[in-house]
Coordinates of all heavy atoms in Angstrom, one line a residue:
A186 N 34.9 -10.6 0.9 CA 35.4 -11.2 2.2 C 34.8 -12.5 2.4 O 35.3 -13.4 2.9 CB 35.2 -10.2 3.2
A187 N 33.4 -12.5 2.2 CA 32.6 -13.7 2.4 C 33.1 -14.8 1.5 O 33.2 -16.1 1.8 CB 31.2 -13.5 2.2
D188 N 33.4 -14.6 0.2 CA 34.0 -15.5 -0.8 C 35.3 -16.2 -0.2 O 35.5 -17.3 -0.5 CB 34.1 -14.9 -2.1 CG 32.8 -14.5 -2.8 OD1 31.9 -15.3 -2.4 OD2 32.7 -13.8 -3.7
I189 N 36.0 -15.2 0.2 CA 37.4 -15.8 0.8 C 37.2 -16.8 2.0 O 37.9 -17.7 2.1 CB 38.2 -14.5 1.3 CG1 38.7 -13.7 0.2 CG2 39.5 -15.1 2.0 CD1 39.3 -12.3 0.5
D190 N 36.2 -16.5 2.8 CA 35.8 -17.3 3.9 C 35.0 -18.6 3.5 O 34.7 -19.4 4.3 CB 35.1 -16.6 5.0 CG 35.8 -15.6 5.6 OD1 37.1 -15.7 5.7 OD2 35.3 -14.6 6.2
G191 N 34.7 -18.6 2.2 CA 33.9 -19.9 1.7 C 32.5 -19.9 2.0 O 31.8 -20.9 2.1
A192 N 31.8 -18.7 2.1 CA 30.5 -18.6 2.4 C 29.5 -19.0 1.3 O 30.0 -18.8 0.1 CB 30.0 -17.2 2.8
T193 N 28.5 -19.8 1.6 CA 27.5 -20.2 0.6 C 26.6 -18.9 0.1 O 26.6 -18.0 0.8 CB 26.7 -21.4 1.0 OG1 25.9 -20.8 2.2 CG2 27.5 -22.5 1.5
P194 N 26.0 -19.1 -1.0 CA 25.0 -18.0 -1.4 C 23.9 -17.7 -0.3 O 23.7 -16.6 -0.1 CB 24.4 -18.6 -2.7 CG 25.4 -19.4 -3.3 CD 26.1 -20.1 -2.0
W195 N 23.4 -18.8 0.4 CA 22.4 -18.5 1.4 C 23.0 -17.8 2.6 O 22.5 -16.8 3.1 CB 21.9 -19.8 1.8 CG 21.0 -19.7 3.2 CD1 21.4 -20.2 4.3 CD2 19.9 -19.1 3.4 NE1 20.4 -19.9 5.3 CE2 19.5 -19.2 4.7 CE3 19.1 -18.2 2.4 CZ2 18.3 -18.6 5.3 CZ3 18.0 -17.7 3.1 CH2 17.5 -17.8 4.4
Q196 N 24.3 -18.1 2.9 CA 25.0 -17.5 4.1 C 25.3 -16.0 3.6 O 25.1 -15.2 4.7 CB 26.3 -18.2 4.4 CG 26.1 -19.7 5.1 CD 27.4 -20.3 5.3 OE1 28.3 -20.2 4.4 NE2 27.4 -21.2 6.3
K197 N 25.6 -15.8 2.5 CA 25.7 -14.3 2.1 C 24.5 -13.5 2.1 O 24.6 -12.3 2.6 CB 26.5 -14.3 0.8 CG 28.0 -14.8 0.7 CD 28.6 -14.4 -0.7 CE 28.3 -15.5 -1.6 NZ 28.9 -15.4 -2.9
F198 N 23.5 -14.2 1.8 CA 22.1 -13.5 1.9 C 21.8 -13.3 3.2 O 21.3 -12.1 3.6 CB 21.0 -14.3 1.1 CG 19.7 -13.7 1.2 CD1 19.3 -12.6 0.4 CD2 18.8 -14.3 2.1 CE1 18.1 -12.1 0.7 CE2 17.5 -13.7 2.2 CZ 17.1 -12.7 1.5
R199 N 21.9 -14.2 4.0 CA 21.4 -14.2 5.5 C 22.3 -13.2 6.2 O 21.7 -12.6 7.0 CB 21.4 -15.5 6.0 CG 21.0 -15.6 7.5 CD 21.1 -16.9 8.1 NE 20.7 -17.0 9.5 CZ 20.8 -18.2 10.3 NH1 21.3 -19.2 9.7 NH2 20.5 -18.0 11.6
H200 N 23.6 -13.2 6.0 CA 24.4 -12.4 7.0 C 25.0 -11.1 6.3 O 25.5 -10.3 7.0 CB 25.6 -13.3 7.4 CG 25.3 -14.5 8.2 ND1 24.8 -14.4 9.5 CD2 25.3 -15.8 7.9 CE1 24.6 -15.6 9.9 NE2 24.8 -16.5 8.9
I201 N 24.7 -10.9 5.1 CA 25.2 -9.7 4.4 C 24.1 -8.9 3.8 O 23.7 -7.8 4.1 CB 26.2 -9.9 3.5 CG1 27.5 -10.6 4.1 CG2 26.7 -8.7 2.7 CD1 28.6 -10.9 3.1
T202 N 23.3 -9.5 2.8 CA 22.5 -8.8 2.0 C 21.2 -8.4 2.9 O 20.8 -7.2 2.8 CB 21.9 -9.7 0.9 OG1 23.1 -10.1 0.0 CG2 20.9 -9.1 -0.1
F203 N 20.6 -9.4 3.5 CA 19.4 -9.0 4.2 C 19.6 -8.1 5.3 O 18.8 -7.0 5.4 CB 18.7 -10.2 4.8 CG 17.3 -10.1 5.2 CD1 16.2 -9.8 4.4 CD2 17.0 -10.0 6.5 CE1 14.9 -9.5 4.9 CE2 15.7 -9.8 7.2 CZ 14.8 -9.6 6.2
P204 N 20.6 -8.3 6.1 CA 20.8 -7.2 7.2 C 21.2 -5.8 6.7 O 20.6 -4.8 7.1 CB 22.0 -7.7 8.0 CG 22.0 -9.1 7.8 CD 21.5 -9.3 6.4
L205 N 21.9 -5.7 5.6 CA 22.2 -4.5 5.0 C 21.1 -3.8 4.1 O 21.0 -2.6 3.8 CB 23.5 -4.5 4.1 CG 24.9 -4.8 5.0 CD1 26.0 -4.7 4.0 CD2 25.0 -3.6 6.0
L206 N 20.2 -4.7 3.9 CA 18.8 -4.3 3.0 C 17.8 -4.0 3.8 O 16.8 -3.6 3.5 CB 18.6 -5.5 2.1 CG 17.8 -5.1 0.8 CD1 18.6 -4.1 -0.1 CD2 17.5 -6.3 0.0
S207 N 18.0 -4.2 5.3 CA 16.9 -3.9 6.2 C 16.3 -2.5 6.1 O 15.1 -2.3 6.2 CB 17.3 -4.2 7.6 OG 18.5 -3.6 7.9
P208 N 17.0 -1.3 5.9 CA 16.4 -0.1 5.7 C 15.5 0.1 4.7 O 14.4 0.7 4.6 CB 17.6 0.9 5.7 CG 18.7 0.2 6.3 CD 18.5 -1.4 5.9
T209 N 15.8 -0.6 3.5 CA 15.0 -0.6 2.2 C 13.9 -1.4 2.5 O 12.7 -1.2 2.1 CB 15.8 -1.3 1.1 OG1 17.1 -0.5 0.9 CG2 15.0 -1.2 -0.2
T210 N 14.0 -2.6 3.2 CA 12.8 -3.5 3.5 C 11.9 -2.7 4.4 O 10.7 -2.8 4.2 CB 13.3 -4.8 4.2 OG1 14.3 -5.5 3.3 CG2 12.2 -5.7 4.4
F211 N 12.4 -1.9 5.4 CA 11.5 -1.2 6.2 C 10.8 -0.2 5.5 O 9.5 0.0 5.7 CB 12.5 -0.6 7.2 CG 11.8 0.4 8.2 CD1 10.6 -0.1 9.0 CD2 12.2 1.7 8.2 CE1 10.1 0.9 9.8 CE2 11.5 2.6 9.1 CZ 10.5 2.2 9.8
F212 N 11.4 0.5 4.5 CA 10.7 1.5 3.9 C 9.5 0.8 2.9 O 8.5 1.3 2.9 CB 11.6 2.2 2.9 CG 11.0 3.2 1.9 CD1 10.4 4.5 2.3 CD2 10.8 3.0 0.6 CE1 9.8 5.3 1.6 CE2 10.2 3.8 -0.2 CZ 9.7 5.0 0.3
V213 N 9.9 -0.2 2.3 CA 9.0 -0.9 1.4 C 7.8 -1.5 2.3 O 6.6 -1.4 1.9 CB 9.6 -2.0 0.6 CG1 8.6 -2.8 -0.1 CG2 10.7 -1.5 -0.4
A214 N 8.1 -2.1 3.4 CA 7.1 -2.5 4.4 C 6.0 -1.5 4.7 O 4.8 -1.6 4.6 CB 7.6 -3.1 5.6

Side-chain angles (χ1 to χ4, degrees):
D188 288 334
I189 294 173
D190 292 335
T193 64
W195 167 247
Q196 289 173 329
K197 286 188 284 187
F198 172 79
R199 179 182 177 186
H200 297 290
I201 299 175
T202 304
F203 190 72
L205 293 181
L206 207 60
S207 57
T209 305
T210 307
F211 173 58
F212 174 77
V213 170

